[in-house]
Amino acid sequence: MRICMASDFFYPNMGGVEEHIFNLSQCLLARGHKVIVITHSYADRKGIRHMTNGLKVYYIPIKVFYNQVVLPTMICNIPLIRYILLREQIEIVHGHSAFSTLAHETMNVAQLLGLRSVFTDHSLFGFADLSAVVTNKFLEISLANCNHCICVSHTGKENTVLRAKVHQDKVSVIPNAVDTAYFTPNPCRRPNDDETINVVVVSRLVYRKGVDLLAGILPKLKHLPNVHFIIGGDGPKRALLEEIRERNNIQDRVVMLGALEHAKVRDVLVQGHIFLNTSLTEAYCMAIVEAAACGLQVVSTKVGGIPEVLPSSLIILTEPTVDSVYRGLREAIAREMEKKQITSSRYMNGSIDGLAPTPSKATYSGLCAFERNQTVANLYNWNNVTERTEKVYKTALREAPAALDLMMKNCLRSGVWPFVLVISLCHLILRFLDWFVPRKYIDLCCPDNPFLSTDHVQGRSMENVASTVRKKREKFS
């Protein structure tokens, strides 16, 4: 299959959506599919770039309007998007994030070109405030002609079905995954003494991530000198945490690391014993999965899809209040102190070695760091996510391309009849482009990934693979 990932959010910007797109693309490439990414330019990063395993990224020259999202014009980018989709011979356009204007525009152009479209919703939205009402209505219009939707949790599916009015049979739940071979525990990076407990927080410091809850917890723990905080991330709420830190004179116990590259997140996580997440809304929290894979005890607010993510042996769930989060954190601290005491007594008795098992369940009810990593590896892996996504793609390809009249009828159901005029205008622009820049004059790219190694090609004999690679090398030399 030839797949196009479309979103405003991609490298060099870092986040959960960006990581999901990159990892899913890499796995699809490894399974023999051709994958490209369409996103807007970032500073001087424009044009075509090739990333790992030949992932082609189109950084199209569109100005950012607000919060890393392009201006929603619906028509201005049609010529460029059409040219890319036809040149790459795309079959499926996969849009990511309800906030991404570029994803919705690319899906709209793809549907008018007779291609299939799939959309992944990574977030939860409300229903009451003005911004949510506008966003939900726009999403309803955009998904009216979408072949299939993917949500990262069952809570996210319910939210999408309600606010976008998508039929539940057209929505699948496919969670995110984590690379447990990279996010591995390293207990040697933790403090060596028997008293210090490191609590790690890695998050964007914004209201939605519950930074106000974290600010309320820090003063309650100042009487525990053995509890230290490592806070990674940046945002408008950072000043609040720094003020709380100085007011309570705990600068030596609360370390503010600022913004982190994703490649450095694991180095921060392995320094901690406990991971604290205070989000107020989450469809699926990648941070807690990565922390659990690194062997940390997770304490998190019970909001959105978080209760679905990890089993009770890996996470302590609390209500999104200061007192509840504080009680959950104290419980986690007590568990870690008990574990330290058991480990210390075993060292003193001379009974510890590199192959010693976890302390008996009669004395310690928790899991060791490596058992947590193995549990996460069994629950979430990118190969499983990729296989399930492939099934969604195949389901979409079996559907017939939507005719223009059907697309307009679907848009009318949303109640925003002026958008039918937008669809009609987009169709007329595409017909004009078919005359002004005929398809036969567009240079077609190789339908397969020219960087694909012979080990990744499935279902072919080694002789055919070697012959194909030789031809590609001659063609691209």
Side-chain angles (χ1 to χ4, degrees):
M1 289 181 283
R2 297 181 291 277
I3 306 153
C4 170
M5 303 286 180
S7 180
D8 282 296
F9 310 107
F10 196 65
Y11 181 84
N13 193 45
M14 298 305 298
V17 176
E18 294 86 345
E19 181 189 355
H20 180 94
I21 295 173
F22 179 80
N23 288 328
L24 179 59
S25 299
Q26 292 297 323
C27 291
L28 288 169
L29 287 171
R31 295 175 69 86
H33 304 290
K34 177 179 179 178
V35 184
I36 69 167
V37 178
I38 295 180
T39 186
H40 63 73
S41 59
Y42 285 87
D44 60 342
R45 184 177 287 267
K46 301 176 182 177
I48 301 175
R49 302 289 182 97
H50 287 87
M51 302 181 72
T52 307
N53 294 325
L55 176 62
K56 183 187 287 187
V57 184
Y58 283 87
Y59 290 95
I60 56 181
I62 306 176
K63 292 288 185 179
V64 173
F65 172 61
Y66 172 74
N67 199 21
Q68 294 297 329
V69 174
V70 301
L71 183 68
T73 62
M74 296 303 295
I75 60 174
C76 294
N77 304 317
I78 289 179
L80 189 54
I81 294 175
R82 168 188 176 269
Y83 188 89
I84 294 173
L85 296 180
L86 294 179
R87 173 179 168 80
E88 297 289 346
Q89 305 179 64
I90 296 299
E91 297 174 307
I92 298 174
V93 171
H94 190 166
H96 292 265
S97 180
F99 291 109
S100 175
T101 304
L102 184 59
H104 296 300
E105 290 189 6
T106 306
M107 290 167 57
N108 181 54
V109 174
Q111 291 155 3
L112 290 170
L113 289 175
L115 309 180
R116 312 306 189 275
S117 62
V118 175
F119 176 75
T120 296
D121 197 355
H122 295 264
S123 304
L124 296 178
F125 288 86
F127 299 89
D129 57 290
L130 180 61
S131 62
V133 171
V134 174
T135 303
N136 293 344
K137 180 56 68 173
F138 181 76
L139 187 65
E140 179 186 351
I141 297 170
S142 178
L143 299 185
N145 296 297
C146 184
N147 295 99
H148 208 88
C149 296
I150 298 174
C151 293
V152 294
S153 66
H154 292 280
T155 301
K157 175 179 178 178
E158 294 176 4
N159 186 262
T160 300
V161 169
L162 288 174
R163 62 193 177 88
K165 299 179 181 178
V166 181
H167 195 277
Q168 59 181 0
D169 293 340
K170 296 182 65 176
V171 183
S172 300
V173 177
I174 303 177
N176 282 328
V178 64
D179 185 1
T180 52
Y182 174 73
F183 286 94
T184 54
N186 186 5
C188 297
R189 296 289 304 277
R190 297 175 178 176
N192 294 325
D193 61 280
D194 297 335
E195 298 294 332
T196 303
I197 298 292
N198 281 349
V199 180
V200 178
V201 178
V202 178
S203 169
R204 284 180 286 123
L205 303 183
V206 296
Y207 172 78
R208 190 173 68 87
K209 294 297 182 179
V211 179
D212 295 284
L213 294 179
L214 179 59
I217 293 168
L218 291 177
K220 287 178 172 289
L221 293 171
K222 66 179 182 180
H223 65 282
L224 298 177
N226 63 316
V227 178
H228 294 239
F229 281 82
I230 303 174
I231 302 176
D234 204 353
K237 289 287 186 177
R238 178 173 179 174
L240 173 63
L241 295 180
E242 292 176 342
E243 179 184 350
I244 295 295
R245 181 179 64 169
E246 294 178 6
R247 184 186 303 169
N248 293 275
N249 196 25
I250 52 176
Q251 292 91 335
D252 58 327
R253 291 166 47 201
V254 179
V255 179
M256 306 286 293
L257 301 178
L260 293 174
E261 296 180 8
H262 190 261
K264 298 180 180 179
V265 170
R266 186 253 177 187
D267 295 333
V268 175
L269 291 176
V270 295
Q271 299 177 39
H273 303 86
I274 301 169
F275 182 84
L276 179 61
N277 174 60
T278 57
S279 294
L280 301 179
T281 174
E282 288 282 359
Y284 179 99
C285 186
M286 277 294 296
I288 64 174
V289 181
E290 293 172 350
C294 289
L296 280 71
Q297 172 65 59
V298 177
V299 179
S300 176
T301 49
K302 185 168 59 176
V303 296
I306 288 180
E308 307 173 24
V309 177
L310 294 175
S312 58
S313 59
L314 300 181
I315 188 172
I316 298 174
L317 294 172
T318 70
E319 297 298 326
T321 63
V322 172
D323 291 337
S324 180
V325 175
Y326 173 70
R327 288 193 297 270
L329 191 56
R330 287 301 301 266
E331 179 183 348
I333 292 172
R335 289 185 186 181
E336 291 299 321
M337 291 301 299
E338 178 187 2
K339 180 179 176 182
K340 279 178 172 286
Q341 292 172 2
I342 294 172
T343 306
S344 177
S345 64
R346 293 175 67 199
Y347 269 110
M348 292 176 65
N349 294 334
S351 61
I352 186 126
D353 56 43
L355 300 176
T358 302
S360 65
K361 299 300 179 182
T363 58
Y364 177 67
S365 59
L367 301 175
C368 79
F370 294 96
E371 288 174 331
R372 290 170 178 160
N373 177 272
Q374 187 58 48
T375 302
V376 174
N378 295 335
L379 289 172
Y380 303 109
N381 64 82
W382 280 110
N383 289 331
N384 178 264
V385 171
T386 306
E387 290 176 2
R388 295 165 69 176
T389 307
E390 281 182 325
K391 293 180 181 178
V392 172
Y393 291 160
K394 292 176 181 177
T395 301
L397 286 174
R398 285 196 292 266
E399 297 182 11
L404 179 61
D405 58 340
L406 180 59
M407 293 179 62
M408 297 174 73
K409 289 179 181 178
N410 291 337
C411 290
L412 279 175
R413 293 196 189 102
S414 66
V416 187
W417 63 266
F419 197 80
V420 175
L421 301 179
V422 177
I423 295 292
S424 304
L425 180 58
C426 293
H427 175 74
L428 293 175
I429 293 174
L430 287 172
R431 298 289 74 78
F432 170 76
L433 291 172
D434 284 340
W435 169 80
F436 189 70
V437 186
R439 301 189 182 197
K440 63 181 180 180
Y441 293 139
I442 296 177
D443 293 331
L444 301 180
C445 292
C446 178
D448 299 318
N449 180 15
F451 297 88
L452 194 63
S453 66
T454 56
D455 295 335
H456 291 148
V457 180
Q458 301 179 355
R460 299 181 184 178
S461 66
M462 293 304 297
E463 292 80 11
N464 292 337
V465 171
S467 175
T468 303
V469 172
R470 282 196 301 270
K471 292 179 180 178
K472 290 177 180 177
R473 286 176 178 172
E474 293 173 359
K475 181 175 182 180
F476 288 90
S477 61

